[in-house]
Every structure is written in C-alpha cells, then in structure tokens.
Amino acid sequence: MKKKFISILNATGIHMHGGMSILDNFLKFNFSKYLIDSRSDYIKLKKLNNVLFIENSFYGRFKNELKLKKNANENTKVIYLGGLPPIFNSKSLIITCFQNANIFPEFYNNSKKLDWLISRDFIRYIFFHLFKNNSDIWVVFSPISKMILINNNISEYKIKLINIFDKVYNKNSNTKKIYDFIYPASFKPHKNHKNLINALVILAKKHIRPSVLLTLTSEEQKLLNTDYLIKKYDLKLFFYFTKNTDNFIKIYDKCKSLIYPSLNETIGLPIIEAKQKNLLLACANKPYSYQFYKPDYKFNPYNPDDIASVMIKIIRNNFKVLKKKSNEKQLDYKNEILNFKDMFI
C-alpha cells in the first residue's frame, strides 16, 4: 500500500517570474499547506486554501523552519522550492528543488571572483554546503542542474530529474512585432547586461540601432545608467517589468527574437518560453543554451564584438534562420522522469 504523506510546499524565496513559472506547475496539485514568500504575486494565490505568507528575512525563514522541524514526523513531506535546503534536519521527508547555478559561477578574471565573494550568491553557496545533507531528495529540472549537484558531492542516487516544461504557449499571435530583440532578465552580474549594452554601442557607432526590450525595474535601469546611454548613443532601448507571469509571457508576442547573453543558468527558462512563442533564438555559446533547443544563432558572451556581429547577421537576414535547424527538444526525459504527481503529493 502506497504511503500517504502530508505534503507541504515551502516556496519562500520564490517571487520573480522564473521562480513563479516553476511555482505555477506545483499549484496544480493540492498540498496540505502552502508557505509562500511575502513578495510573491498574491493574485494567483488567493484561490488556495491553507496559505501562509512568510516574511522575506533571515529571521522570518528561521522561525518558519524551526516550526517545521518541531512539527515534523515520518508522514510529512516538505518540498523546498526556493533552491536551497533547510537549516534543520528533521524527521520529515525533505525534497529540495535545485535551481541556483549562479551560486557556482565560473571566473574569467579576479575582479569577478571578488564580486562573487561579497555577493549574496556567495552566502547562498556557503548555505548550500553547510546544509546540503539535510535534504533527502534533490529534484532538478535540467541536466546541467544534475551535473552541478554531482560535482558538489550530492549522490546521484538522491537526484531526480523532472520535466515541467511541456506547457505550450500560443505561437500564432497576431500581435504586431514592435521590438527586434528581447532580453528577459533581472540586473544581476551573471546576466551580463553590460556586454549586451557594449554590443549595442558598437552597433550604434555603425549607425545600426535595433530596438531592444529589457525587463528591468526603474531601480535596475538606474544601476545600468540607461538614461545616459540612450541619450549619448541614441540607443533604442525599451523597458517592461511585471511580476504577473501571464503578462510577462504575452510580451514575447511583440518581439522578433531573443538575445540571451547570460553567463550562467540552470534552466534558461526564457529560451524555452521564446521558442514556444516562435521567436528566433540568439544565445550565449554555453551548455545551458542547448539543454532543450538548438539556438538559431550563438555568440561568445564575453565578447561584445561577437554579440554585435550576431545581431547584425540577424538584422541583415531579416530575422530568419540562415539554415534550417531542428526544433526538437535536445533532452529526452523518458528514461529518467518520475511521475510528477507521485513525486510531490
């Protein structure tokens, strides 16, 4: 007889589009309790029962996890969706969904390493190694995530690969294409906005100014000094930001192609979303770019000249693929995937 669990979904740390998109896949099931980050979109969660919003602070999370430990028993299953394991070991079955490749960056110069050492990602790195043994099972959504965990001494037997990206968005939108390129990413160091901007400056000096949509907040725009750059180089930069996942997905309809210069990703969710929206894919020549689809164009993300060169090629080819490539997924989950519902409920 199958063991029946009391299942708790702990989604603290989930509040931006990428995480919310993953959370959407879990909301289709009825958990006994939902622990949700207080910064999350409340609209999608109003219909749920047994929801508790957790304060986004170390104290708030500590207090929440201490309560979970006190109430733990062998019939309880706690799913940590935020990517990091719990502080406390407990009698509950602990499942951690890993999605934090940026805490294991590659360093191409010493200044980048110093930036990492004083970042939150370094704190998350320490946290991961201190408490990784508190998790009984690690769930990953991509093969890169699995290799990262194995390389950080997580037993392969504890790692389960799950496919949650079967949702297909409407490819046949009649929305007018306003933007040549979209880069949907927050302004974090590994997202590599500066090299993309440098590429646009190179293009502007050649009197080529594609329209580019960035999904940055007003605060992030100030950090990137976009007002100055737009004025100095007459860049066609546009901005859009929303925490609403449905609205975020719709913005792809207004774009011709995805430009994705990120240096480090576990999933690269916008690549999947853009392909499902039938956008052309121009991605960094990194392993994450090839997990689900073959990019139509690739470039060296460390070299603004190479990024600019690919953008020119795309523009001159009128946003078409030079050679026909396969649209099939590059990853076959069939031999490894577990039943999604049985895994978590």
Side-chain angles (χ1 to χ4, degrees), residues 15-138:
H15 67 102
M16 298 297 286
H17 167 65
M20 292 297 291
S21 183
I22 292 173
L23 176 59
D24 278 346
N25 288 276
F26 286 79
L27 296 183
K28 67 181 79 169
F29 302 122
N30 293 319
F31 287 89
S32 307
K33 184 181 292 185
Y34 300 84
L35 305 175
I36 303 296
D37 193 300
S38 59
R39 297 169 295 175
S40 296
D41 186 348
Y42 287 79
I43 298 173
K44 291 192 169 209
L45 305 168
K46 281 183 177 180
K47 296 180 181 179
L48 298 175
N49 295 319
N50 303 319
V51 175
L52 179 63
F53 289 97
I54 306 300
E55 177 190 347
N56 177 45
S57 66
F58 179 79
Y59 174 71
R61 294 192 187 191
F62 182 89
K63 184 172 64 173
N64 173 50
E65 290 193 17
L66 186 61
K67 185 176 180 181
L68 286 173
K69 177 178 172 60
K70 288 180 178 179
N71 295 329
N73 62 65
E74 295 178 352
N75 294 320
T76 304
K77 182 188 294 185
V78 184
I79 296 90
Y80 284 80
L81 197 58
L84 292 173
I87 298 171
F88 303 107
N89 197 356
S90 75
K91 295 179 181 178
S92 299
L93 178 66
I94 302 297
I95 300 173
T96 304
C97 300
F98 178 74
Q99 45 171 314
N100 299 78
N102 49 299
I103 70 174
F104 303 101
E106 60 178 64
F107 304 113
Y108 51 94
N109 61 45
N110 288 331
S111 67
K112 291 297 179 184
K113 187 170 185 178
L114 180 60
D115 289 343
W116 178 70
L117 288 171
I118 59 175
S119 71
R120 289 185 179 181
D121 284 338
F122 178 68
I123 297 173
R124 294 186 182 102
Y125 172 86
I126 298 297
F127 191 102
F128 171 89
H129 282 289
L130 284 175
F131 305 116
K132 63 185 180 183
N133 292 327
N134 290 344
S135 186
D136 301 301
I137 298 172
W138 289 84

Side-chain angles (χ1 to χ4, degrees), residues 62-253:
F62 182 89
K63 184 172 64 173
N64 173 50
E65 290 193 17
L66 186 61
K67 185 176 180 181
L68 286 173
K69 177 178 172 60
K70 288 180 178 179
N71 295 329
N73 62 65
E74 295 178 352
N75 294 320
T76 304
K77 182 188 294 185
V78 184
I79 296 90
Y80 284 80
L81 197 58
L84 292 173
I87 298 171
F88 303 107
N89 197 356
S90 75
K91 295 179 181 178
S92 299
L93 178 66
I94 302 297
I95 300 173
T96 304
C97 300
F98 178 74
Q99 45 171 314
N100 299 78
N102 49 299
I103 70 174
F104 303 101
E106 60 178 64
F107 304 113
Y108 51 94
N109 61 45
N110 288 331
S111 67
K112 291 297 179 184
K113 187 170 185 178
L114 180 60
D115 289 343
W116 178 70
L117 288 171
I118 59 175
S119 71
R120 289 185 179 181
D121 284 338
F122 178 68
I123 297 173
R124 294 186 182 102
Y125 172 86
I126 298 297
F127 191 102
F128 171 89
H129 282 289
L130 284 175
F131 305 116
K132 63 185 180 183
N133 292 327
N134 290 344
S135 186
D136 301 301
I137 298 172
W138 289 84
V139 168
V140 295
F141 307 120
S142 72
I144 282 182
S145 302
K146 181 174 181 178
M147 289 309 304
I148 289 172
L149 291 180
I150 291 172
N151 291 338
N152 283 276
N153 300 315
I154 301 294
S155 169
E156 186 172 358
Y157 298 104
K158 295 177 70 172
I159 305 171
K160 311 299 179 184
L161 180 61
I162 301 293
N163 179 14
I164 64 171
F165 300 115
D166 285 337
K167 183 177 180 180
V168 177
Y169 301 104
N170 178 22
K171 291 184 178 182
N172 301 314
S173 171
N174 294 322
T175 305
K176 183 180 178 181
K177 302 294 184 182
I178 301 173
Y179 309 106
D180 295 324
F181 297 93
I182 180 174
Y183 182 32
S186 58
F187 187 61
K188 294 181 179 179
H190 70 282
K191 295 298 186 180
N192 201 24
H193 281 84
K194 290 183 179 179
N195 276 349
L196 175 59
I197 293 296
N198 288 338
L200 294 177
V201 170
I202 291 169
L203 292 178
K205 290 178 179 179
K206 296 179 180 180
H207 307 290
I208 301 171
R209 293 179 173 84
S211 54
V212 180
L213 181 65
L214 302 177
T215 57
L216 299 177
T217 65
S218 56
E219 291 78 12
E220 290 172 330
Q221 293 171 42
K222 290 177 183 177
L223 291 172
L224 192 55
N225 204 11
T226 54
D227 287 345
Y228 169 78
L229 292 167
I230 290 170
K231 185 176 181 179
K232 181 175 181 179
Y233 298 104
D234 193 23
L235 301 182
K236 290 185 178 180
L237 282 180
F238 301 89
F239 305 96
Y240 177 80
F241 178 80
T242 179
K243 284 190 175 183
N244 185 298
T245 299
D246 291 334
N247 289 342
F248 192 96
I249 293 297
K250 289 176 183 176
I251 198 64
Y252 287 106
D253 292 329

Side-chain angles (χ1 to χ4, degrees), residues 181 203 208 210 310-319:
F181 297 93
L203 292 178
I208 301 171
V310 165
M311 295 179 82
I312 289 175
K313 194 179 294 184
I314 292 170
I315 293 166
R316 288 178 177 171
N317 199 44
N318 198 25
F319 298 90

